[in-house]
Structure formats: structure tokens, C-alpha cells
Amino acid sequence: MSENYNHATIENKWQRKWEADKLYQAKIDPQRKKLYFLTMLPYTSGDLHFGHWYPMAPSDARARYLRMCGYNVMFPIGFDAFGLPGENAAIQRGIHPKKWTYANIKNMRRQLRSMGAMWDWSREAISSDPEYYRWTQWFFEKLYEHGLAYRKKAPVDWCPQCNTTLAREQVWGEDRHCERCKTPVIKKDLEQWFFRITNYADELLDFSTIDWPEKVMTMQTNWIKRSEGASVIFKTEQGDPMEVFTTRPDTLWGATFMVLAPEHPLVAKVTTTDRKVEVEAYVSEAVRKTEIEREAVDKEKTGIFTGGYAINPVNHERIPIWIADYVVMTYGTGAIMGVPAHDQRDFEFARKYGLEVRVVIQPEDIPPLDGVTMPNAVPAYGTMVNSGPLTGTPGDQAFQAAVKFIEEKGIGEFAVNYRLRDWLISRQRYWGAPIPMINCEVCGWKPVPEDQLPVELPEDVEWKPTGESPLKLHPTWKYTTCPECGGAAERETDTMDTFMCSSWYHLRYLSPQYAEGPFDPKEYDYWMPVDVYTGGVEHANMHLIYTRFFHKACRDMGIVKGPEPMLQLRNQGVILGEDGEKMSKSRGNVVAPDLLVDQYGADALRTHLMFAFRWSDGGPWNDENIQGVVRWLNRIWALFTDSSTLLPSAQKKASLGVLCDLRRKVHQTLKQVSHDFENFEFNTIISGLMELLNEMYVARESGAVGTPEWQEAQDIYLRMLAPVAPHIAEELWTERLRKPYSVHTQPWPKVDKEAVAEEQVTLVIQVNGKVRDRITVSVNIREDEAKAVALASETVQRFIQGKQPRNVVYVPGRLVNIVVE
RNA sequence: GCCGAAGUGGCGGAACAGGCAGACGCGCACGACUCAAAAUCGUGUUCCCUUUGGGAGUGUGGGUUCGAUUCCCACCUUCGGCACCA
């Protein structure tokens, strides 16, 4: 008789033993091939739910699989602990952010450990520890020394709810809301610290050395958005240069007006006295609009004439300068040339305000264009017309010819423009790594000397958000002396964007206790780069772009090596609440991990997460479906612990055929499971193991127990089970089958190709493509034999009705298709 | 508007590379065990036609092919990203 499977006892027991035996500690071993398997580190919000297991449990299974395949696998874990969400949660509860964060870490550690993953906890790193952010600050200073960090006054995005500036990447959606709190952002003119990520725009577009999902590469490419064109200098009538960027230099002769963004510095200067009042009214209205009525998506173009004129440098024509809010200051130069005949936005604007529409491009395949009557702009390339010396240039040469022309005349040049902006990292909040800079009235901004790092975050601070940096309000903290002249000076009171901390955490995992640098070079040389990286796709344009930039910048500074930090990336989907919505406390659809672990056990939850969804898709949580894997694990337990399965069956002797079928199924499953692990197809790993178990039950009934084939089946089954359900596999392996501890250090079994091969196959017999019969034949059947067998089938004869087959298609091992009529 | 991904039973999802659609599981129905229930085990479960046996069927409409969930074209829907980007 079999006893019951008690997940609580077993899981607890093995987790302790593995921990005590340091089974998962990763050590440098030059003899073995290393594999750095990284999962995006969890954020220490208090909002823990079961969705957090979803990226991790299948990743752990795959890391375990690779370890059994012979790799020396490092699978580290840590916590992203600084930042707005933690601070906001702390404020809500009236608890100090530090206290709140570290209490969360303690709880999360316990919860994560209950998963039974092979994390090497000795490598744990926490980004809010002074020993960690000491190096975050050190990296900032390196970037500063190399001119990659700079301070600039600029209009920046400000979240009025979070009371801080945000990076462009953290502003989402049509209404431009804060990525965290969803509040629409406003613009503020502030002096802030930036990283020169735009220096790396071109290199960030190169994905040739990494295996990343198409989706992420597309998102990053679109985010960076490189466009080729020309920079052309127009001049105002007063002689001020007015640079524009255009992707269509071939349409320069069609420019009939200029448009400046309302915030453009030349607006005041070009505006004539009689237009001043109206223009100022328009500008302040535009500013008001961008700040308050963000959601009013009024695509109707508005604008106003400044009274000023510019000179088109290609034909010296005098054209009016307008301002309009469809031109934005944050892209290009904030000024454009209006070519209404060939740009739809300019067209709409020109028609609305009665500006000339002049055709300068005539595509070959359409009737001659007429600026007065055309209903829309025609943006296609075509022969240049009305374009002075370039008239007649064919469409495929127009771009180059126009660039050559402006370069020769010295009025412009070929130019590349990017949508990517420099990374704004200043945050006017408390819970972050202080920016290690000192401002001296005499010497200017100076980095804190390296031996004084870290610049520690004081704990006695009024950390409630006021819009001012909390560190500024501290009575003494900011006062210091200048590292250069020794005179009185003040510290930077802003803290760093937490994405700075997470840009290099994979390096701290290498040697979290190392004090001579951010990481131990010995560890770096062995483990880096990260071989496999798993996590959510929502970071495509934030963390994943920052960390690539960070790596490339550090490479240029001689700190790290190689072109990329993470070679292979795979994204999981999202686990939703039972209502199909994103899990959140406010919706009340959060599934708590602790309760589930108590009820079902870690093995059941791990396997359920692998089985119930396509990993890359995710989906809504469902309390009922989990019964499937619970029953499966119970059936495994029953089969492996039932004493009658341990002894050769007295009554029945299995036939050779049964044993051969069993071996075949075992090795076919092994082949499939290995393939699926390689490809992150976790759901079919579980279904394959379920099928094999069903097959083993059948074999047991047929008397297979006790045979070498049965023992092999049991052995391979537990090895395959080990990565997905590590506890039950260990218990059955070590305690029941009495095999050498631990199943997790066993090698992955080898597929016996001969055992996999079928001797007989079922040929599908089709008539005109429809299945009419199935016939079991030997694998080695010849084509003419197979066709003869098919034609001999009674069912087939009935459908053919005596007609001569026009064609007989034979696909070896699969089917015969008889085509009649 | 632009770019990308995806549409398969009541549900989650299988189908390697154009060859048996619906593996595996949930749910449901019936049966066994039980005084009974739960658990467990067994059988069935795409839809339609009264059945033996047929017919239809992978978002919709076309196409290529002996054969299409799979390839091509057009369209619809859903989701994600970007968006007055010059």
C-alpha cells in the first residue's frame, strides 16, 4: 500500500539539507564550462503576490536542467531596494523607507526560499546597502570623469504625484503619464544630471552579437529611432541662423513657410511688434496646454504668424515664420521647414492658414500634381520639379543630389537624428543613492573623493515628498567642504534613479563582499557575460536599454569587457488575477504565495506555473486548474512508493513488446523534454512527463515492475522530474530508490537513439486528402508495398468506387494519399 | 495613423520542418468503491446529421498544393509598443 505524499515535511527537510550542504553555491571551476543564469532581480515593494513566482520558478527549472547537463551554473538572487515605489509605500504607512524595505526583504527572502530554487544566497546583493551603493556612486563618478555624466538646465518631465523628475523612458502613453503612479507629467525647467546614452545610440541599435527576442529589439530600435536626413541652416531676415532637421532635403524648394516650437528661443526675436501680443498669448496658451490639458488630444493643428520672415537658403526666397504646437522642442531642433505639398502635417497647416502649397516632387506613376487642388500631401519620392538647378533629378537620386547641393553651398549637411534622449537620473526624493557630487562656489561641481565613498544616506530625514529633495531639508547633511579648495561647499541633494542601481547588479552578484572594487576581476573573467537572462518585457525600453548602455560605457572606460552584458534574453508573460486583470491590492485580486505554498506545496506550484500557461504568454490565475498537477504529483508518489512496484511481479511477466514500448516512451519523452528545456517550452515538459507516467502505469499493469527496463524508467523519470519538482524528486531518488544523494548533482540522461526508433508505424490512408483508413505497417515498408496495402483497404475501395487513381502520394512513415478524378 | 504579436472545444493549451486537428490537463457527464460525501479509479466529452456511417470544422474571404492550424494575399478582432518625430 502507498502512503500519502506530505509536501510540507518533504520540502522543508530538503530545503534545509541543500542549504546546509551548500549544494547550490557556485564556485569558479576552470575545468567546467560556466553558465551565468540571471533572472531580473525582484523589487522590494510590499505588494508581493504569486505573479512574482512566474518568471522565477521556470527559470530555476531551466537552470537546474543546464546544471545537470554539465554546466557550472551560477544562479544568483538579490533585491532592487531603492526607489520611488518603496518610498511611496513607506510614506503611506508612515514607516521609515529603510525599515519598510528591509522588513520586506526579510519576508521576501523567506517566501523566495520556500520555492526551493537553486539560488546561491551567498551571492545576495541589496542595492540599498551602503556597501552596494558605494559602487553605484563610484560608477557615477567614473561616468562623470569620462564626460558621460553632465549637469544641464533643461525642460524635464516632472511627476506632480511622485514629486520628482523622471527619465523620458519613465513617461508612458498618449497622455504622458508617470510609469509608476500613472499621473500625467508636467514640464519643468530644472538643472539636472544626465548620462550621455545618446553617444551610444548607434551601437545600441546593433544586436548582432546577442540572442534577444525580436520584440525587444524592435522596441529598442523604435525607441532610439534613428533617422537620416539633412541639417539645413535657414536665416531669419535679421540674420540669425535657424537650423532645421529634415529627412527630405529633396523637398527644400517646396518650403513655403517655417514653423518654430512655441518654446523655441528665437520666437521672441522674430516676432514683430504688431504681432507680439497675439504671439505671447499663443505661447502661454501652448505652455498651459502642455501642462494642464495633456489628455485633450486635439489633433487639429493650431498656430500663429510671428510677423517675421526667413530666407530659404536654396532659392533665397522670403518665407513667413509661424509658431505651432505641432512642432515640439524636444525633437530635432524645434524648428521645421514647412513643405505642405509633400508632408501631410504641413499640408493641413497650410490649408488651414491659407499658405502656399508648392509641388516640387512629381512621382512617375501619378497624374501631374497641382498645389491648388490637391486634396492631400504626396510624400512619395519622385522627380524633382520647380527645384532650380536640381529640377529633373529622378526620385532615386533626389536625396543624395540635394545633400550634395547644400553641402557644396555650405548651407547644410547630411545629418542623423535620434529620438533617444540623454538619460535624466536626478530624483528629488529620499530613498536612493545620493549623487556623490559637491558644489563649491569657487571650484564648481567636484566629485566626492573616492576614499570618502559611500556618501551615506542619513536616516534622520523628513522624507515626506515636498517637491524639494528631502536631503536639502536636513539641517546639516548637505554642508561639507570642497575637495579641491577646502572651502565651504554643498552636496548634491538629489538621489539617483534606481535604474542606475539595477544597471550593474549582475556585476555585484559576482562578488557581493568585495571591497576593492565593484566586483572581483577574477570572478568577472570566469562568469561574465550573463549567458541567460529572463524577465519581463516591460523593461525593454528602461532597464534593458540602460544596462546595455552602462556596459558599453564601462567597456570604453576599461572596467568591463565585451560588447554586451547579456547574451540571451527571454521574456515571460504576466500572471493576472482570476478576473483577468493585473494583480494589485486595490483590485483585490492578489493571489498570496504563502497560502498557496501551505496548501499545495512548492513543487505543485512550480509545476503548475510551468504547465498551465505558455511561459511567454502568461494568463489569468485559476484556483481550479492546479488540481491537475496536484493529482499528477500524487500519482508519481503512489507509483514510486507503492511496495508492489519495488518487487518483480510474481503473477505477471511483461512481454518483450511491453518492455520495448516502455523504453521507447521513456527515451522519446527524454528527447522531447530536453528539446523543450532548451526552448523555454515548459508546458510541454510537464505534459510529456504526465504522458510517460500514464504509460508507466500501463506497463506496471502488464508486469513490467522489477525488470531492468522498469528500473531505467524510474531512474530517468526522477532525473527529468528533478528540475521541475526538486523536492519530491529528491525524496524519491534518495530515500525511496536509495540512489546516491543528490538527484540534483546527477548528470542528465542520454537519449538512446535506437530505443526511440519505432518498428511499426501507422500509415494514414487518405482519399482525395481525407482520412479514410489507418494501417499499421513496418517502418521499413517499401513505397510500392505501402501503396499496394493502401489500395487494398476495403474502406479505400469503397471510396474509390472502382475509379483509376490519378495519383498516389506516399510520405514515408506518415501517409498514402490516393487521388481520384 | 505607424510598427509588432496573436486568434484552435466550455476553459488552459498541444500539433518538431506543409501530412491523423484537439496531445496533456481543468471542467462536465455517467459508472465503480462508500450508509453517504470527499478522495481515488474507470468510461465518455469539437459541432451537426436519428444510427451503422457520414458531413463540417483551427477569426473571415480568397489563393498555392495531392494535402494548409502551418505558406501567400486581403480583411476583421484582441493585445503590446510608438505617436503631430519633421
Side-chain angles (χ1 to χ4, degrees):
Chain A
M1 275 309 293
S2 62
E3 57 195 298
N4 284 332
Y5 158 54
N6 183 329
H7 62 78
T9 322
I10 290 172
E11 291 180 356
N12 218 305
K13 173 173 103 185
W14 290 111
Q15 281 172 21
R16 278 164 201 246
K17 179 150 175 63
W18 296 333
E19 180 80 29
D21 296 344
K22 301 181 167 41
L23 196 67
Y24 304 125
Q25 274 195 16
K27 295 240 164 65
I28 293 177
D29 179 355
Q31 307 305 312
R32 289 167 70 204
K33 217 173 160 210
K34 69 93 183 180
L35 194 137
Y36 188 168
F37 198 125
L38 183 65
T39 296
M40 286 181 192
L41 84 176
Y43 187 78
T44 53
S45 63
D47 208 16
L48 259 185
H49 53 69
F50 195 62
H52 289 113
W53 274 44
Y54 190 59
M56 299 180 177
S59 292
D60 173 62
R62 191 164 186 275
R64 287 173 176 277
Y65 159 77
L66 290 167
R67 171 170 151 143
M68 290 175 80
C69 287
Y71 289 100
N72 185 18
V73 175
M74 167 162 67
F75 189 53
I77 183 86
F79 297 97
D80 184 18
F82 265 147
L84 291 179
E87 187 174 346
N88 288 343
I91 288 162
Q92 253 176 24
R93 291 166 178 79
I95 307 169
H96 193 283
K98 182 175 178 180
K99 202 173 160 193
W100 165 251
T101 299
Y102 282 82
N104 282 339
I105 289 174
K106 203 175 157 203
N107 191 38
M108 286 174 81
R109 270 198 201 112
R110 183 187 54 75
Q111 290 183 315
L112 290 171
R113 279 172 188 275
S114 73
M115 194 189 297
M118 58 173 280
W119 283 308
D120 180 354
W121 286 95
S122 72
R123 292 178 180 270
E124 183 197 70
I126 299 170
S127 64
S128 58
D129 283 352
E131 307 85 70
Y132 186 105
Y133 69 74
R134 168 184 178 188
W135 300 108
T136 307
Q137 293 172 338
W138 180 87
F139 278 117
F140 179 97
E141 296 192 349
K142 290 289 162 201
L143 290 166
Y144 180 75
E145 279 169 30
H146 288 80
L148 292 170
Y150 65 95
R151 195 174 162 85
K152 179 178 85 172
K153 183 163 186 173
V156 295
D157 295 308
W158 174 273
C159 174
Q161 176 71 37
C162 296
N163 268 304
T164 182
T165 53
L166 298 173
R168 177 67 190 84
E169 287 77 15
Q170 289 150 34
V171 180
W172 287 14
E174 195 164 5
D175 61 343
R176 297 180 45 78
H177 62 257
C178 167
E179 170 249 332
R180 283 287 171 185
C181 73
K182 316 291 177 228
T183 309
V185 301
I186 59 174
K187 285 276 180 204
K188 275 198 180 184
D189 267 323
L190 289 172
E191 248 192 71
Q192 302 281 289
W193 290 99
F194 293 85
F195 288 156
R196 272 190 219 284
I197 191 170
T198 51
N199 278 17
Y200 290 86
D202 264 326
E203 210 191 325
L204 288 168
L205 288 168
D206 177 10
F207 300 94
S208 61
T209 61
I210 49 179
D211 167 23
W212 280 28
E214 201 65 45
K215 178 171 187 168
V216 174
M217 297 193 290
T218 307
M219 282 172 75
Q220 294 199 348
T221 305
N222 292 342
W223 185 260
I224 295 164
K225 195 174 167 173
R226 179 182 202 272
S227 32
E228 293 191 353
S231 150
V232 185
I233 313 286
F234 284 63
K235 279 198 174 134
T236 65
E237 269 190 316
Q238 296 94 327
D240 289 309
M242 211 163 54
E243 187 186 347
V244 303
F245 174 76
T246 176
T247 52
R248 293 296 300 276
D250 55 321
T251 65
L252 262 164
W253 283 262
T256 53
F257 58 96
M258 305 286 298
V259 189
L260 301 180
E263 306 91 340
H264 196 281
L266 277 175
V267 168
K269 203 162 175 192
V270 297
T271 302
T272 52
T273 327
D274 57 317
R275 306 289 306 153
K276 203 173 169 202
V277 176
E278 275 183 82
V279 168
E280 277 173 4
Y282 182 85
V283 170
S284 55
E285 173 67 11
V287 170
R288 195 187 69 86
K289 236 190 193 166
T290 48
E291 290 198 355
I292 299 161
E293 291 172 358
R294 277 283 173 211
E295 276 161 289
V297 193
D298 185 7
K299 300 271 174 167
E300 170 84 4
K301 287 171 185 42
T302 64
I304 192 162
F305 180 43
T306 61
Y309 286 84
I311 305 300
N312 184 340
V314 296
N315 56 12
H316 309 291
E317 218 171 288
R318 185 168 174 265
I319 53 175
I321 303 171
W322 287 64
I323 57 173
D325 58 7
Y326 81 91
V327 175
V328 293
M329 200 57 221
T330 47
Y331 184 79
T333 60
I336 63 157
M337 61 177 194
V339 185
H342 306 292
D343 181 283
Q344 187 60 25
R345 291 153 305 172
D346 297 345
F347 181 86
E348 284 165 23
F349 192 74
R351 281 284 188 260
K352 180 166 176 182
Y353 293 105
L355 296 158
E356 187 195 348
V357 177
R358 184 189 303 168
V359 173
V360 291
I361 297 291
Q362 178 60 53
E364 282 71 32
D365 50 354
I366 58 168
L369 296 170
D370 177 359
V372 178
T373 56
M374 59 197 294
N376 277 303
V378 176
Y381 279 91
T383 307
M384 294 175 74
V385 296
N386 300 322
S387 295
L390 266 58
T391 298
T393 309
D396 56 350
Q397 293 162 35
F399 183 99
Q400 289 306 331
V403 168
K404 189 163 169 251
F405 179 85
I406 57 167
E407 285 183 349
E408 278 170 5
K409 297 273 173 193
I411 52 179
E413 60 186 5
F414 175 80
V416 176
N417 200 33
Y418 301 92
R419 205 190 69 126
L420 183 72
R421 303 288 94 197
D422 273 344
W423 176 13
L424 191 168
I425 59 116
S426 302
R427 297 291 178 272
Q428 292 68 45
R429 294 293 292 260
Y430 167 68
W431 191 235
I435 295 173
M437 296 297 288
I438 293 168
N439 190 17
C440 168
E441 279 191 19
V442 181
C443 310
W445 285 99
K446 294 289 158 197
V448 174
E450 201 180 315
D451 59 8
Q452 288 173 33
L453 296 181
V455 176
E456 282 208 48
L457 198 58
E459 283 181 42
D460 54 335
V461 159
E462 192 57 55
W463 32 267
K464 308 237 168 11
T466 59
E468 275 296 355
S469 305
L471 294 179
K472 197 177 259 180
L473 306 175
H474 189 279
T476 55
W477 185 83
K478 69 179 174 184
Y479 300 109
T480 184
T481 52
C482 173
E484 194 127 318
C485 68
E490 288 191 12
R491 294 185 187 283
E492 169 63 79
T493 53
D494 287 350
T495 53
M496 278 186 252
D497 181 3
T498 185
F499 280 111
M500 170 71 181
C501 312
S502 57
S503 290
W504 72 282
Y505 74 103
H506 55 286
L507 297 174
R508 196 59 189 165
Y509 283 162
L510 297 169
S511 49
Q513 281 92 37
Y514 193 68
E516 314 306 313
F519 55 83
D520 183 341
K522 284 205 304 290
E523 299 277 338
Y524 184 96
D525 289 342
Y526 182 71
W527 294 109
M528 280 295 285
V530 173
D531 296 279
V532 188
Y533 196 28
T534 58
V537 74
E538 69 274 14
H539 285 111
N541 286 340
M542 297 194 294
H543 163 64
L544 289 171
I545 217 163
Y546 295 143
T547 195
R548 290 182 68 216
F549 153 69
F550 196 90
H551 182 91
K552 288 167 191 296
C554 284
R555 176 208 57 201
D556 288 347
M557 298 187 292
I559 300 168
V560 303
K561 296 163 197 162
E564 296 279 348
M566 291 111 182
L567 300 183
Q568 182 187 49
L569 173 73
R570 291 293 181 272
N571 304 119
Q572 80 283 352
V574 182
I575 293 294
L576 306 167
E578 289 206 74
D579 53 2
E581 300 287 333
K582 209 174 163 187
M583 277 191 205
S584 77
K585 277 211 174 123
S586 55
R587 280 210 184 83
N589 62 354
V590 168
V591 181
D594 287 354
L595 290 172
L596 291 172
V597 175
D598 284 349
Q599 197 176 348
Y600 302 109
D603 282 342
L605 295 172
R606 293 167 58 100
T607 48
H608 177 60
L609 285 177
M610 294 173 71
F611 179 57
F613 316 87
R614 238 183 311 223
W615 191 63
S616 53
D617 288 0
W621 174 260
N622 184 321
D623 254 347
E624 264 180 358
N625 292 344
I626 195 170
Q627 288 310 327
V629 293
V630 170
R631 284 182 195 136
W632 170 57
L633 292 175
N634 281 326
R635 273 162 58 77
I636 292 173
W637 182 262
L639 187 70
F640 279 79
T641 58
D642 187 336
S643 54
S644 65
T645 66
L646 298 174
L647 300 163
S649 168
Q651 300 88 353
K652 264 191 188 171
K653 263 271 180 334
S655 68
L656 274 175
V658 164
L659 297 176
C660 200
D661 287 349
L662 176 62
R663 274 211 89 207
R664 183 177 311 117
K665 186 68 184 173
V666 166
H667 284 273
Q668 282 177 343
T669 305
L670 175 59
K671 189 179 168 194
Q672 179 225 318
V673 166
S674 310
H675 169 271
D676 293 347
F677 263 123
E678 295 296 337
N679 294 287
F680 295 81
E681 287 161 12
F682 300 108
N683 52 350
T684 45
I685 290 173
I686 307 300
S687 69
L689 290 173
M690 284 173 166
E691 275 186 62
L692 177 54
L693 189 74
N694 293 343
E695 205 72 19
M696 284 173 74
Y697 266 92
V698 171
R700 180 176 74 163
E701 289 313 302
S702 310
V705 174
T707 62
E709 287 82 359
W710 180 257
Q711 281 160 10
E712 185 198 25
Q714 285 192 315
D715 183 278
I716 293 182
Y717 201 89
L718 290 184
R719 287 177 204 245
M720 291 194 292
L721 185 65
V724 299
H727 310 87
I728 191 170
E730 184 79 285
E731 175 75 14
L732 293 172
W733 177 271
T734 308
E735 300 287 340
R736 303 294 162 152
L737 299 191
R738 298 274 164 206
K739 285 167 179 279
Y741 170 83
S742 154
V743 70
H744 301 297
T745 51
Q746 302 302 317
W748 190 251
K750 293 244 181 314
V751 177
D752 180 342
K753 288 207 179 86
E754 277 175 36
V756 169
E758 305 270 0
E759 286 158 18
Q760 305 232 297
V761 285
T762 303
L763 275 189
V764 168
I765 315 299
Q766 298 182 332
V767 177
N768 288 338
K770 296 202 171 169
V771 180
R772 296 305 179 188
D773 204 357
R774 293 181 177 86
I775 302 174
T776 304
V777 296
S778 157
V779 191
N780 303 315
I781 192 167
R782 290 200 318 270
E783 178 165 353
D784 55 329
E785 288 171 338
K787 286 180 177 176
V789 168
L791 282 166
S793 153
E794 262 181 55
T795 334
V796 168
Q797 283 304 324
R798 208 173 66 234
F799 278 93
I800 296 179
Q801 293 176 328
K803 288 171 207 142
Q804 260 314 314
R806 193 161 55 98
N807 189 12
V808 181
V809 180
Y810 173 60
V811 182
R814 296 211 188 257
L815 59 73
V816 178
N817 188 13
I818 298 156
V819 188
V820 291
E821 270 147 22

